[in-house]
């Protein structure tokens, strides 16, 4: 079975500051890794995913994440945030070769203040 | 093109009643997933369909929950004898094939009084 831990439930930052949202996972098999974003009153939207290859993954809206197998982490970063980045961010994993069901963390609420 | 749609957007029911939640996936997507998101939690997997068949129903919490996808497109999640603990947002996602990106609908917010 897989599990995901998002270490921060809430992250407040000022506009144009850098941000890192932390994600650690546990799995006995190889996994795929994802970050989803949920804006208020909207559905989940994929930010980026790691399937294989380069451990640095770039996604939409200037976000990127780095897969670290030894530390079982997949932290999300953005060098300069905007007010519009205020949302809930979810890290998720799925087991390679399975049904590809997603196992989600509890989410991190990012609030960008002016 | 049209995304995943779910109806109703909100459903209020009384304890003990039966409810049906509908999901219309993106046209042509063969894989369909149901998740449940309780307040303050991330989504939790319920069931996965590949075509018409339920390929993985390991997340269904008990036998009050059942889902169908008779023609390999629209899916209905059915909950019998609802309980207050069933209150949550029920999310549907579809993908073009197992392993491809899952696209989520806006969810159905279920409240059991």
């Amino acid at each position: 079975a897989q599990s995901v831990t998002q270490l921060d439930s809430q992250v407040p930052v000022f506009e144009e500051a850098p941000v890192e949202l932390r994600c650690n996972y546990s799995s006995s098999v190889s996994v795929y890794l994802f970050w989803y974003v949920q804006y208020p009153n909207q559905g989940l939207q994929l930010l980026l995913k790691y399937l294989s290859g380069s451990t640095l993954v770039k996604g939409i809206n200037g976000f990127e994440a780095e897969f670290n197998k030894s530390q079982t982490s997949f932290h999300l970063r953005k060098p300069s945030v905007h007010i519009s980045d205020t949302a809930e961010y979810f890290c998720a994993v799925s087991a390679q070769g399975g049904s590809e069901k997603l196992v989600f963390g509890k989410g991190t609420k990012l609030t960008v203040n002016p | 093109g049209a995304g995943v749609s779910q109806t109703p957007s909100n459903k209020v029911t009384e304890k003990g009643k039966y409810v049906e939640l509908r999901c219309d996936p993106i046209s042509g997507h063969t894989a369909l997933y149901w998740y449940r998101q309780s307040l303050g939690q991330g989504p939790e997997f319920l069931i996965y369909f590949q075509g018409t068949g339920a390929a993985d129903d390991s997340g269904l919490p008990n036998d009050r929950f059942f889902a169908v996808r008779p023609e390999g497109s629209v899916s209905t999640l059915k909950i019998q004898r609802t309980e207050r603990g069933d209150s949550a947002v029920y999310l549907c996602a579809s993908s073009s094939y197992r392993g491809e990106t899952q696209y989520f609908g806006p969810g159905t917010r279920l409240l059991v009084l």
Side-chain angles (χ1 to χ4, degrees):
Chain A
Q2 293 75 48
S3 67
V4 175
T5 301
Q6 291 186 244
L7 296 161
D8 306 295
S9 59
Q10 296 187 60
V11 173
V13 295
F14 288 109
E15 194 174 17
E16 298 183 4
V19 71
E20 178 180 80
L21 306 183
R22 297 179 292 170
C23 172
N24 286 86
Y25 70 93
S26 173
S27 177
S28 57
V29 300
S30 295
V31 295
Y32 301 127
L33 295 149
F34 306 81
W35 276 98
Y36 279 82
V37 60
Q38 190 171 36
Y39 298 104
N41 300 316
Q42 294 187 29
L44 288 162
Q45 178 182 0
L46 182 68
L47 269 181
L48 48 79
K49 61 184 178 183
Y50 172 78
L51 302 181
S52 64
S54 172
T55 56
L56 182 62
V57 180
K58 294 189 182 297
I60 62 172
N61 301 339
F63 284 92
E64 64 181 32
E66 186 156 20
F67 171 51
N68 187 318
K69 188 173 183 179
S70 63
Q71 297 187 5
T72 61
S73 68
F74 191 55
H75 300 332
L76 181 70
R77 301 185 182 99
K78 186 169 182 177
S80 176
V81 294
H82 303 290
I83 299 284
S84 59
D85 292 323
T86 294
E88 186 104 31
Y89 292 79
F90 292 94
C91 180
V93 303
S94 68
Q96 293 185 22
S99 67
E100 314 294 354
K101 65 185 181 187
L102 295 169
V103 176
F104 286 87
K106 291 187 176 183
T108 297
K109 174 76 171 114
L110 175 65
T111 301
V112 182
N113 298 300
Chain B
V4 177
S5 63
Q6 294 185 245
T7 54
S9 54
N10 291 280
K11 176 71 176 178
V12 181
T13 191
E14 294 179 343
K15 179 177 178 296
K17 299 290 189 181
Y18 167 84
V19 297
E20 289 189 351
L21 311 179
R22 176 188 169 106
C23 172
D24 279 270
I26 293 172
S27 178
H29 279 192
T30 60
L32 185 146
Y33 302 79
W34 282 99
Y35 295 85
R36 178 169 71 173
Q37 186 174 17
S38 301
L39 196 61
Q41 304 293 318
E44 293 179 299
F45 169 77
L46 294 176
I47 187 169
Y48 155 62
F49 287 90
Q50 182 58 45
T52 60
D56 183 353
D57 64 357
S58 61
L60 294 177
N62 51 60
D63 60 6
R64 294 187 298 106
F65 288 75
F66 189 70
V68 296
R69 196 185 184 198
E71 298 179 356
S73 178
V74 171
S75 176
T76 304
L77 178 66
K78 307 180 181 195
I79 311 174
Q80 298 178 323
R81 304 182 304 280
T82 52
E83 299 178 356
R84 292 192 180 89
D86 299 334
S87 296
V89 176
Y90 289 80
L91 299 168
C92 176
S94 70
S95 66
S96 58
Y97 190 70
R98 179 179 71 93
E100 294 298 315
T101 296
Q102 294 182 31
Y103 296 89
F104 282 80
T108 292
R109 188 174 301 273
L110 175 66
L111 177 61
V112 182
L113 300 177

